[in-house]
Amino acid sequence: MTSPDADWIREQLDRIAVKLRNHYGTTSGITGMALGVDMWWASTLQLAEIPYTAHIPFPEQPDPWRTRNPEAVAEWKRLRALAADERMYGTLDGLTGDARKRRAVQLLHKRNDGMLAATDAVVAVWQRGKREGGTYSALVKAHQAGKPVVLVDIRSRFVTVPSPRRLAQLLHPERPVPLPLPLPS
């Protein structure tokens, strides 16, 4: 992600948080505490004075960042401490190699499922067309659950709340959309 993209995304998250608070009465938020957008969202919620729950897949989440991005680890710890509440989904303690990787993926999905179960609506930053990874998986599940989605589309630099039909088209463009049949007269 380029710096201009990151700047644009952060501006949109700030705007969305204030609008959710001021116009829709949002009183709490949720973050997955992943490096990047999740941590930006936590910071945005904190600055907008919206209490948030940190959904942490495992306490070792920031470990891979320690050598290449120690500032991110410090920010993760700061945002974790500022959270109004915390939900932990498991641990990687004692696991190595492939077993550790498999368990991490399981807990990341469990975290995403927990966030979806705990929310009434979803704010998602997604690169339209990307059909893999946690954000795509969470968007598919949010759509299946009928949750409204505030979609921050990186590619088009557009923020929208797509209808369920439009979200289905965005998530699965290869599937034909049935045309409504005319009612018999």
Side-chain angles (χ1 to χ4, degrees), residues 91-163:
T91 184
L92 303 178
D93 190 37
L95 298 174
T96 59
D98 287 342
R100 184 180 177 94
K101 289 177 188 174
R102 279 192 306 276
R103 183 65 177 150
V105 169
Q106 289 171 346
L107 292 173
L108 288 164
H109 284 285
K110 190 173 178 181
R111 184 249 351 241
N112 287 353
D113 291 345
M115 289 191 303
L116 285 170
T119 192
D120 297 321
V122 174
V123 175
V125 176
W126 181 51
Q127 184 172 334
R128 190 168 24 110
K130 185 175 180 189
R131 299 211 167 32
E132 58 188 16
T135 301
Y136 177 73
S137 172
L139 281 169
V140 168
K141 290 175 183 179
H143 178 256
Q144 290 169 341
K147 306 258 183 187
V149 174
V150 178
L151 186 60
V152 180
D153 185 334
I154 301 168
R155 193 169 83 185
S156 67
R157 289 210 171 195
F158 194 74
V159 177
T160 186
V161 180
S163 69

Side-chain angles (χ1 to χ4, degrees), residues 12-173:
Q12 300 315 305
L13 293 176
D14 291 347
R15 191 176 62 77
I16 290 165
V18 169
K19 188 169 187 173
L20 288 172
R21 182 194 66 205
N22 293 350
H23 296 280
Y24 296 97
T26 298
T27 59
S28 64
I30 291 174
T31 178
M33 296 295 288
L35 184 62
V37 173
D38 284 23
M39 287 175 44
W40 297 343
W41 182 240
S43 180
T44 292
L45 291 170
Q46 191 266 327
L47 290 171
E49 298 180 350
I50 300 172
Y52 62 91
T53 299
H55 283 249
I56 300 172
F58 37 84
E60 302 86 358
Q61 184 178 20
D63 287 357
W65 319 331
R66 290 192 193 285
T67 55
R68 73 177 194 275
N69 197 345
E71 298 85 13
V73 175
E75 179 68 354
W76 186 88
K77 289 178 180 180
R78 182 185 79 82
L79 293 168
R80 181 181 182 185
L82 290 171
D85 198 9
E86 178 178 300
R87 174 80 201 275
M88 187 72 64
Y89 290 89
T91 184
L92 303 178
D93 190 37
L95 298 174
T96 59
D98 287 342
R100 184 180 177 94
K101 289 177 188 174
R102 279 192 306 276
R103 183 65 177 150
V105 169
Q106 289 171 346
L107 292 173
L108 288 164
H109 284 285
K110 190 173 178 181
R111 184 249 351 241
N112 287 353
D113 291 345
M115 289 191 303
L116 285 170
T119 192
D120 297 321
V122 174
V123 175
V125 176
W126 181 51
Q127 184 172 334
R128 190 168 24 110
K130 185 175 180 189
R131 299 211 167 32
E132 58 188 16
T135 301
Y136 177 73
S137 172
L139 281 169
V140 168
K141 290 175 183 179
H143 178 256
Q144 290 169 341
K147 306 258 183 187
V149 174
V150 178
L151 186 60
V152 180
D153 185 334
I154 301 168
R155 193 169 83 185
S156 67
R157 289 210 171 195
F158 194 74
V159 177
T160 186
V161 180
S163 69
R165 180 183 175 111
R166 179 63 182 136
L167 184 57
Q169 291 170 332
L170 292 169
L171 294 171
H172 311 289

